[in-house]
């Protein structure tokens, strides 16, 4: 059962444009939602994360928007650059206990054209 | 901080042989480590969760006798793929957690590309 659904599977954006990736979750026990960036042949790297008591979090050009009632959250990449071309994964977990596992979305391959 | 290494980064082996992959937390003690596999253009699939000094917990459908996990110290976990076959070829990634509530943000290693001929 896929508990975190991510869309789109891929997207192409022009340099300077906005990339938007959406995720929806089912398990209401999830209370921590990180986003990861993965380049080909590399492990995922934590990009930004949010808790459900916050509706928006911004770090540089990356912004997470969170809608708790709809059980949805999204990543916006502002002023997209060719170096942002990568695969992005949303994830969800519970942080009430130590060492809880992450549930990943299916991933979105982003290509930023110069 | 929070650096996780994997060794080797790439390995090619013959069918039927066993391969060991190491995962190390370099600047923190990892109470919990996770092992994932990732097929091309797919998401990460959790294989097992290992806690230091205890047996690993395997996800449904993962053969524990085939994928042996040892977490003997707070900085090292190993994954051994026994009697590897071509279908085991994949990208294996570990993740380490300091084991503090609220700190499981998933510090990932760089991955190991396994190719079984």
């Amino acid at each position: 059962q896929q508990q975190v659904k991510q869309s789109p599977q891929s997207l192409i954006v022009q340099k300077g444009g906005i990339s938007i990736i959406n995720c929806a979750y089912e398990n209401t026990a999830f209370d921590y939602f990180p986003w990861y960036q993965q380049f080909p042949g590399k492990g995922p790297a934590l990009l930004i994360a949010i808790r459900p008591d916050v509706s928006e979090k911004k770090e540089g050009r990356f912004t997470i928007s969170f809608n708790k009632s709809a059980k949805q959250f999204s990543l916006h990449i502002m002023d997209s650059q060719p170096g942002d071309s990568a695969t992005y994964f949303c994830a969800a977990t519970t942080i009430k206990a130590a060492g809880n596992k992450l549930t990943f979305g299916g991933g979105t391959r982003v290509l930023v054209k110069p | 901080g929070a650096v996780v290494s994997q060794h080797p980064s790439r390995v090619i082996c013959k069918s039927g042989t066993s391969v060991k992959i190491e995962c190390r937390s370099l600047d923190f003690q990892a109470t919990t480590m996770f092992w994932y596999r990732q097929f091309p253009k797919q998401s990460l699939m959790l294989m097992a969760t290992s806690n230091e000094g205890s047996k690993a917990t395997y996800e449904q459908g993962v053969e524990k006798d085939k994928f042996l996990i040892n977490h003997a110290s707070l900085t090292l976990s190993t994954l051994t793929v026994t009697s590897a076959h071509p279908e085991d070829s994949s990208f294996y990634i570990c993740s380490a957690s300091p084991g503090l509530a609220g700190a499981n943000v998933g510090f990932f290693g760089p991955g190991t590309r396994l190719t079984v001929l």
Side-chain angles (χ1 to χ4, degrees), chain A residues 54-114:
Chain A
V54 177
S55 62
E56 185 175 284
K57 183 175 182 180
K58 182 177 180 179
E59 288 186 5
R61 295 183 293 107
F62 300 92
T63 300
I64 301 177
S65 298
F66 191 87
N67 185 330
K68 186 175 181 179
S69 60
K71 293 187 287 185
Q72 295 176 348
F73 56 110
S74 61
L75 176 70
H76 291 60
I77 306 174
M78 314 300 286
D79 186 27
S80 297
Q81 300 297 311
D84 297 331
S85 297
T87 299
Y88 294 82
F89 293 96
C90 61
T93 187
T94 58
I95 60 171
K96 295 182 179 66
N100 278 328
K101 58 188 180 184
L102 291 161
T103 299
F104 282 90
T108 298
R109 302 180 73 190
V110 174
L111 175 63
V112 182
K113 288 193 169 182

Side-chain angles (χ1 to χ4, degrees), chain A residues 2-6 22-33 52 66-73 90-92 103:
Chain A
Q2 184 183 8
Q3 295 189 30
V4 179
K5 295 183 179 180
Q6 184 172 345
N22 300 299
C23 286
Y25 63 98
E26 299 169 7
N27 188 345
T28 55
F30 290 145
D31 58 7
Y32 192 70
F33 302 88
F66 191 87
N67 185 330
K68 186 175 181 179
S69 60
K71 293 187 287 185
Q72 295 176 348
F73 56 110
C90 61
T103 299

Side-chain angles (χ1 to χ4, degrees), chain B residues 55-96:
Chain B
K55 290 184 178 181
T57 301
Y58 290 81
E59 295 298 301
Q60 190 174 9
V62 177
E63 299 176 59
K64 58 183 66 177
D65 293 332
K66 181 168 188 60
F67 299 100
L68 301 179
I69 293 173
N70 183 280
H71 191 164
S73 78
L74 286 172
T75 59
L76 174 64
S77 177
T78 60
L79 167 67
T80 301
V81 183
T82 63
S83 186
H85 288 92
E87 58 266 30
D88 298 323
S89 297
S90 187
F91 193 50
Y92 291 87
I93 310 171
C94 71
S95 171

